[in-house]
Amino acid sequence: MSCSDDGTVQKTCIRTGATQLSYSSDIPLFSIHVEDNYRINVGTKNGDLIQFSLQNKGLKQLKLHRDIIRSILSYGGKLYTCSEDNTVKSYDPKGHKINVLIEQNNF
């Protein structure tokens, strides 16, 4: 699974080299995280988090940051993101709650 600043996400079979999934966006994409082999989270240049499911083809876009999301990970049912807006945030998808965990002037 990979994403690119050209706005694409691709899932490629390592054995055959065939593209198994392709998604295209008008926004440059900078980070990707796959949960449970079917939920994909992608961070964009403008601070949005795009979530989509391989099971039901659902797509959701959330404004989490003011700048590029550089890193995404999941733990305990929450997503954690780090951005060039100098914040680290948590997002609880069940309660739709966003918390700022760290905010610095420059890190």
Side-chain angles (χ1 to χ4, degrees), residues 7-21:
T8 60
V9 173
Q10 290 190 338
K11 180 180 178 185
T12 305
C13 178
I14 294 172
R15 284 179 268 140
T16 65
T19 299
Q20 297 175 330
L21 168 78

Side-chain angles (χ1 to χ4, degrees), residues 4-5 16 32 53 56 61 87-88 92 97 100 103 106:
S4 174
D5 63 358
T16 65
I32 190 165
S53 171
N56 62 14
Q61 190 164 338
T87 62
V88 175
D92 181 353
K97 189 171 181 179
V100 177
E103 187 167 10
N106 191 13

Side-chain angles (χ1 to χ4, degrees), residues 35-87:
E35 287 183 88
D36 305 329
N37 292 323
Y38 64 90
R39 286 183 291 196
I40 301 168
N41 301 289
V42 181
T44 70
K45 180 179 183 175
N46 65 2
D48 289 353
L49 179 73
I50 299 172
Q51 299 180 297
F52 57 99
S53 171
L54 300 178
Q55 286 183 324
N56 62 14
K57 308 295 185 214
L59 181 71
K60 185 162 97 174
Q61 190 164 338
L62 306 161
K63 184 67 168 178
L64 290 185
H65 292 274
R66 296 180 310 272
D67 206 341
I68 297 169
I69 296 176
R70 289 288 183 185
S71 182
I72 306 167
L73 63 91
S74 62
Y75 179 77
K78 294 181 182 177
L79 291 174
Y80 297 87
T81 58
C82 181
S83 170
E84 286 192 11
D85 66 4
N86 294 319
T87 62

